[in-house]
Amino acid sequence: MRALVTGVTGQDGSYLAEFLLDKGYEVYGMVRRSSVENFNRIEHIRDKLKFVQADLLDQLSIIDAIKESRPDEIYNLGAMSFIPVSWKQPVLTGEFTGLGVTRMLEAARHMNKNVKFYQASSSEMFGKAREIPQNEKTPFYPRSPYGVAKVYGHYMTVNYRESYDMFACSGILFNHESPRRGLEFVTKKVTYGAAKIKLGLADSLYLGNLDAKRDWGYAEDYIEAMWLMLQQNTPEDYVISTGEAHSVKDWVEASFRCLDLDWRKYVKIDKRFIRPVDVDLLVGDSSKAEKKLGWKTKVSFNELVKIMVEYDYNYLKKQM
């Protein structure tokens, strides 16, 4: 089996590449040409992967990448994924996160209509949620350029499935974190910041809205769900989540508690980190995935926080 993974150098892409290699796949990673390579997350498996150069903004390069890799499965994880930046670069976000999906689907349709296609959709599509919890039938109400672009990509995937009888499905993944999360994301910012404070490397941590609630799971658990979707007889869309909502404040408290610190002494609110419009409460209902895929999250909220705090603490301590 051959798989082509876009976004292979990111958090999800790196875990998925590991997972597929363990399954015996030949894994091709689609990477953009850059003067500076950022392969940190996949350095340990780099020699086991094959790379094809292409860009989600360039249709011809995507066609060439599919022609070269001849995949049985395509996992489209590539996107402009940091939500605050999507307000500063809404057009570019639309190009990568929205139109990039169409370019991938169109290339797959012309090169091999029988290829199985996975699209990384997002809980941010629910935005100002119409119901709690959110499932596959909940209407979308995105609250950021990123969320809007994800809705476009999601419905293009549905459209290609229905129009061309392609095996194309979307995983509507709720927030999923790991030690490989980028420092710009609030979860990593908190665990890394708490570790710095514990080690005397910082005395404060500046954050935005502490009241926003999210459904946080462990990235490694969610990767398996992606793969399971493409092993089914028929393509469908699935919500992947823990079913539990926790506030940013809960994440902060749990992180500092792991290090025997009182977060109230160190955390300060900075209005620069508050979104123009925020998403107040996201929590998913994964009963369909549990029933049809046999999938269920394994790592709890507190276990996830502990995994990330311990990783960041040990990493920073080694640098001292």
Side-chain angles (χ1 to χ4, degrees):
M1 292 287 286
R2 287 192 183 91
L4 174 63
V5 181
T6 73
V8 72
T9 59
Q11 172 189 258
D12 290 6
S14 64
Y15 282 122
L16 178 61
E18 283 179 345
F19 180 88
L20 294 173
L21 286 170
D22 287 342
K23 292 282 184 185
Y25 279 66
E26 194 174 337
V27 181
Y28 287 79
M30 196 176 103
V31 293
R32 299 168 65 197
R33 174 73 182 91
S34 174
S35 58
V36 180
E37 291 183 341
N38 183 18
F39 285 6
N40 294 340
R41 294 184 181 94
I42 55 171
E43 199 62 53
H44 61 297
I45 54 171
R46 189 171 177 175
D47 60 340
K48 297 178 182 177
L49 301 174
K50 298 182 179 180
F51 297 98
V52 288
Q53 285 193 355
D55 195 308
L56 288 173
L57 302 186
D58 181 14
Q59 184 75 71
L60 185 58
S61 70
I62 296 170
I63 291 171
D64 286 341
I66 293 176
K67 185 187 296 183
E68 182 179 341
S69 57
R70 294 179 292 120
D72 300 291
E73 299 173 356
I74 295 174
Y75 294 86
N76 186 41
L77 311 184
M80 203 305 293
S81 60
F82 186 47
I83 297 168
V85 172
S86 74
W87 274 283
K88 295 182 178 179
Q89 295 181 301
V91 176
L92 188 63
T93 299
E95 286 283 353
F96 274 119
T97 309
L99 284 171
V101 182
T102 310
R103 295 187 186 102
M104 289 296 300
L105 286 163
E106 188 68 358
R109 180 173 77 89
H110 284 287
M111 299 305 297
N112 176 13
K113 205 175 80 167
N114 294 319
V115 69
K116 292 186 174 182
F117 185 91
Y118 171 84
Q119 165 59 18
S121 288
S122 168
S123 60
E124 287 289 328
M125 300 189 305
F126 294 120
K128 191 175 182 179
R130 306 290 186 89
E131 61 183 6
I132 299 170
Q134 296 91 49
N135 60 37
E136 293 80 5
K137 295 181 180 179
T138 302
F140 299 136
Y141 193 148
R143 298 267 278 176
S144 67
Y146 169 82
V148 173
K150 278 292 185 183
V151 171
Y152 175 92
H154 178 84
Y155 277 126
M156 286 304 295
T157 304
V158 173
N159 190 258
Y160 271 69
R161 177 171 71 220
E162 296 177 350
S163 300
Y164 303 114
D165 195 29
M166 291 176 65
F167 194 110
C169 60
S170 292
I172 306 172
L173 271 57
F174 280 65
N175 293 61
H176 46 289
E177 316 299 319
S178 77
R180 297 181 191 175
R181 190 49 127 170
L183 272 172
E184 67 272 23
F185 290 88
V186 68
T187 48
K188 182 72 167 182
K189 184 178 179 180
V190 170
T191 59
Y192 194 83
K196 285 182 72 175
I197 290 169
K198 182 67 175 181
L199 291 166
L201 300 174
D203 52 20
S204 300
L205 175 62
Y206 294 90
L207 299 171
N209 181 12
L210 298 185
D211 296 323
K213 291 185 176 181
R214 295 291 185 273
D215 185 326
W216 278 300
Y218 186 36
E220 276 201 83
D221 288 349
Y222 287 38
I223 295 308
E224 182 185 17
M226 298 179 186
W227 177 77
L228 284 169
M229 289 178 211
L230 297 195
Q231 311 316 307
Q232 305 306 303
N233 292 325
T234 55
E236 297 183 50
D237 305 323
Y238 296 87
V239 163
I240 303 298
S241 64
T242 69
E244 295 180 8
H246 295 274
S247 66
V248 175
K249 182 180 174 183
D250 292 338
W251 185 278
V252 171
E253 287 180 338
S255 298
F256 278 77
R257 188 166 58 245
C258 286
L259 297 167
D260 295 320
L261 295 172
D262 182 353
W263 70 274
R264 290 166 293 190
K265 295 179 179 178
Y266 307 101
V267 173
K268 296 177 172 56
I269 303 302
D270 189 330
K271 292 182 180 179
R272 290 178 302 162
F273 300 125
I274 296 177
R275 299 179 184 181
V277 287
D278 212 338
V279 174
D280 299 319
L281 174 59
L282 292 177
V283 57
D285 172 7
S286 291
S287 53
K288 179 182 175 182
E290 291 179 21
K291 183 179 178 181
K292 291 197 170 186
L293 303 180
W295 178 88
K296 199 167 188 178
T297 186
K298 303 179 185 73
V299 177
S300 71
F301 174 80
N302 286 317
E303 288 170 338
L304 171 59
V305 174
K306 185 179 179 183
I307 288 169
M308 291 180 63
V309 168
E310 289 182 350
Y311 176 89
D312 289 338
Y313 179 84
N314 291 330
Y315 171 79
L316 285 166
K317 196 170 184 181
K318 287 178 183 177
Q319 308 305 309
M320 294 176 69

